[in-house]
Amino acid sequence: MSRKSAIESRAAIYLANSAYGKPVDMEQALSKCQKYLSKHRDLKLMRIYIDENTSVVRTPGNNGRRTPLGVAGNDAWRRLLRDTETLAIETIVIYSARTVAPSISGLANIIREYFVPCKIRFIDVEAGFDSETGDIEGYLKKKTSEYRSTLYGKKVNP
């Protein structure tokens, strides 16, 4: 066993409703995140942050897309980021990318400009993505394709 795998990473689950596509069943999302953590003993669940609110923003071009309040500065999101800054949280587990930001560019900014430089591990349970072992740019490219297909009603090639 490597030294790194023996060290526990302090993890948090962040849950929010979907910004696009089908709304998230919060109980099911929490259950899947907890199941993921139970299979990964190197992750120790410290906190769960829940943003049950979404706002519907109607601007030209977005057709009333739901916007998670977390990205806009919801208290749960701010607490999560503050806890990563104080190193109380080292790993963020989300159910789905669509719960973090209203657009993939927003998600990409969060990952590239904050999580990567701060060495925050990022896990998307629905996509089966872990930034510790996965290709972040490949993940974002796939999410961009899924996002576009959801908005424009086109099927995504598997």
Side-chain angles (χ1 to χ4, degrees):
M1 182 184 322
S2 73
R3 180 177 165 85
K4 184 166 180 128
S5 63
I7 299 171
E8 284 186 342
S9 177
R10 293 179 299 273
I13 295 172
Y14 177 76
L15 297 173
N17 210 332
S18 172
Y20 57 90
K22 186 175 156 184
V24 171
D25 177 331
M26 299 290 259
E27 287 183 32
Q28 180 183 20
L30 177 59
S31 175
K32 288 187 179 190
C33 289
Q34 289 172 324
K35 185 176 180 180
Y36 181 91
L37 288 169
S38 72
K39 291 181 181 179
H40 294 83
R41 298 289 181 194
D42 62 318
L43 300 172
K44 181 179 180 184
L45 180 61
M46 303 301 288
R47 295 186 175 100
I48 299 172
Y49 303 86
I50 300 175
D51 173 10
E52 294 186 39
N53 301 309
T54 56
S55 61
V56 177
V57 180
R58 295 190 189 283
T59 59
N62 87 344
N63 299 320
R65 189 167 53 228
R66 293 178 303 279
T67 303
L69 296 177
V71 174
N74 177 275
D75 286 340
W77 184 254
R78 280 197 303 257
R79 283 193 315 271
L80 171 64
L81 292 182
R82 185 176 60 239
D83 286 347
T84 62
E85 290 169 0
T86 63
L87 300 178
I89 301 300
E90 302 165 309
T91 300
I92 297 172
V93 179
I94 63 164
Y95 172 67
S96 171
R98 68 183 191 266
T99 66
V100 176
S103 68
I104 296 305
S105 62
L107 175 66
N109 284 337
I110 292 165
I111 292 173
R112 287 184 189 132
E113 303 299 322
Y114 184 75
F115 294 161
V116 170
C118 295
K119 298 184 180 4
I120 302 298
R121 185 174 171 187
F122 174 76
I123 298 169
D124 178 338
V125 172
E126 184 179 61
F129 176 77
D130 183 339
S131 66
E132 185 173 73
T133 57
D135 172 21
I136 291 172
E137 293 308 317
Y139 166 77
L140 292 170
K141 184 176 180 180
K142 182 178 180 192
K143 290 290 131 190
T144 299
S145 176
E146 291 173 5
Y147 175 76
R148 286 181 181 152
S149 71
T150 300
L151 290 182
Y152 303 115
K154 297 176 186 173
K155 291 187 178 181
V156 177
N157 294 330

